[in-house]
Amino acid sequence: MSFTSIQFIILFLATLAVLSVSGLFHSPKARIFRHVYLLVASYVFYGRWDWRFCFLMLLLTVVAYSTAKHLDNERYRRLAITVGIAVPLLILAFFKYTNFFLDSFSSAFGIENMRSLNIILPVGISFYTFQSMSYTIDVYRKKIKPAKLLDVALYISFFPQLVAGPIVKAQDFLPQLEQDRRVTLKGLEAGLQIFIMGMFKKIVLADRLSVFVDDVFAAPAAYSSLTVILAVISYALQIYFDFSGYSDMAIGCARCMGYDLQRNFNLPYLSKNPSEFWKRWHISLSTWLQEYLYIPLGGNRKGKIRTYINLMLTMILGGLWHGASWTFVIWGTLHGLALCVHKAVAKSRRDKKHLPAPVLILINNIFVCLCWIFFRADSFGTALCVLKKIFIWSGGVQQIYFWLLFAVVIEILYVIWCAVKSKKHPEENGRFTLNAYYFRHDLSTVKGLFLFFLEIMAVIGLAYTGGSPFIYFQF
C-alpha cells in the first residue's frame, strides 16, 4: 500500500477517525486500545503488499521482545544480545543477499549451473530489521527499559515509516508510547501540510523526473553527452525529491496521529564536503550507522589508521545495505574514500584559508552526482557507459527535459525561502545555519486556507499519473 494510493487514504482517514474518538477517553484502557488499533492498521498496511511477510515482521518482534527481557540477567545477557542482533541480520542476509552471494561465487569460480533462488524481497525489510536491532541494543546499553510486547510490536511496525523510513531509534519512539498521545487540531494542521509538501515532491517532481532518467539510463549510448549529464543531474534531484518526499509524508502522517518522527533530510545539496553531506542526507540512517556500527567498531578513538578503516567499513556496509549489487558496494566505497580524504585534508588545512563556499558546494555536488551513477545503474557496464559519455564528449539523441528546469527552479526558490527563514535562527558564534523548513500556514485565517488549498490544487494539477514506486521500497 503506497502513500499515494486510494487504499492508503481510506486507511489513514479511518485511523484518524478511530484515534480521534478514542482520544475523548482519558484512561489507560483507551490508550491501549489506540495502540492495538495502530498495530492492526500497520499490519493491514504492510499486508497489502504480501500478507505472508507479516509473519516475518511478527517473528522479528518476538525475537526483539524476548531477547530484551533477558538482558537484565547477567547469566544470559551475552547470549541474549547475540541472538537479538544475529537473528535480524541472518533474516536480512537470507532475503536480500543470498542470490547476490550465489551469483558472485559462481562468477568468481566459473560455475555455470549454479542458479539463483526464487526469493521475494520483502518490502522495507532493511528498515524494520534495523529497528528491531535498535531496540535490543538500546536495552542492552540501558538507554531504555524492556517494553511491553504491544509497544515493541507497534514500534517495529508503525506504518507511517515502516517501509522506507525514517529509521526510528527505540530510545526516541518508545517513550512516546508511554505518553497519552492523541489526535489534536494543531497536530492535524501541521501534519497535513507536511504530508502535502512531501506529496508534491514525490508525484509532481520525482515521478516526472523519473521518466527522463529511466529513458536515458536504459540506453545511455544512444544519447548525447549533454543529455546524459542532464539525466545524471535529474536522478540526483529525483532520488532527493522521492526519498525526502516519502520521509515528509511519513512525518506528516505520524504528526497527524500525535507522534513525532525525526527529520530525514536537511538541504543535502548545499553541503560543502562529504561529512556535511551525510549529516544532511538520510539523517536517520547515517546516525544509526554512526551509533550502532561506526562507534562500536572504535570510531576515531583508536588512532588515525583505524579511524579510516572504520569509516570505510561503515560506508561499504551502508552501500551494501542499500542493495545486493556490486554497484552499491562501489557507491559506498567511493563515499567512504571521500570521508577519509576529507578528514585527512581537514586536519592538514585546519589553520589555512578554505575555498569559497559556492566552490566547495559545486565540487561536492559533482562528486555526489558521479556516485549516484553507480547507485542508479542496473549494472557496472551501464555505469561505465554513462561515465564514458560524460568524460568523452560524443553525439546522440539530444533532449532538454522541461521538468528538470522546473524542478531546479522550484528547488532554488525553496532554498531562498529557507535562507530567509534561517536568518531568524543564528548560531551562538554569530553565524547563520541554513536549515530546511516546512511550508506551514495558519489555517485559522483566510490567507492560510487559500495558500493551503492552492498547494493541494498544484499537487492535483501537476501530478504525474503514470505511477512510479518509491525508490527506497526496493531497499
Side-chain angles (χ1 to χ4, degrees), residues 240-303:
Y240 167 66
F241 289 130
D242 188 284
F243 193 18
S244 69
Y246 183 94
S247 296
D248 291 345
M249 284 188 271
I251 292 168
C253 284
R255 186 74 61 85
C256 286
M257 295 184 289
Y259 297 93
D260 297 315
L261 300 181
Q262 175 189 4
R263 165 165 266 177
N264 215 17
F265 291 85
N266 185 16
L267 301 176
Y269 292 136
L270 292 182
S271 304
K272 296 184 287 293
N273 54 67
S275 297
E276 185 182 353
F277 177 80
W278 281 104
K279 292 177 182 177
R280 291 176 173 270
W281 176 276
H282 203 344
I283 299 169
S284 63
L285 174 63
S286 57
T287 55
W288 198 100
L289 291 173
Q290 180 183 40
E291 184 169 344
Y292 298 110
L293 182 58
Y294 176 69
I295 293 177
L297 285 172
N300 58 2
R301 305 186 306 275
K302 297 186 177 182

Side-chain angles (χ1 to χ4, degrees), residues 219-352:
Y223 290 87
S224 68
S225 293
L226 175 60
T227 302
V228 171
I229 291 173
L230 293 177
V232 172
I233 296 172
S234 295
Y235 183 69
L237 290 172
Q238 179 200 347
I239 193 171
Y240 167 66
F241 289 130
D242 188 284
F243 193 18
S244 69
Y246 183 94
S247 296
D248 291 345
M249 284 188 271
I251 292 168
C253 284
R255 186 74 61 85
C256 286
M257 295 184 289
Y259 297 93
D260 297 315
L261 300 181
Q262 175 189 4
R263 165 165 266 177
N264 215 17
F265 291 85
N266 185 16
L267 301 176
Y269 292 136
L270 292 182
S271 304
K272 296 184 287 293
N273 54 67
S275 297
E276 185 182 353
F277 177 80
W278 281 104
K279 292 177 182 177
R280 291 176 173 270
W281 176 276
H282 203 344
I283 299 169
S284 63
L285 174 63
S286 57
T287 55
W288 198 100
L289 291 173
Q290 180 183 40
E291 184 169 344
Y292 298 110
L293 182 58
Y294 176 69
I295 293 177
L297 285 172
N300 58 2
R301 305 186 306 275
K302 297 186 177 182
K304 184 186 298 183
I305 302 300
R306 183 63 181 273
T307 298
Y308 295 150
I309 293 174
N310 293 339
L311 278 173
M312 288 300 301
L313 284 174
T314 300
M315 294 310 299
I316 290 173
L317 291 174
L320 195 58
W321 175 86
H322 281 84
S325 169
W326 286 110
T327 54
F328 289 108
V329 174
I330 294 171
W331 175 78
T333 302
L334 290 173
H335 275 282
L337 288 171
L339 289 172
C340 292
V341 170
H342 172 255
K343 184 174 283 290
V345 171
K347 287 185 177 181
S348 64
R349 295 178 59 87
R350 184 168 296 172
D351 299 324
K352 298 179 181 179

Side-chain angles (χ1 to χ4, degrees), residues 329 439 451 466:
V329 174
F439 291 106
L451 292 174

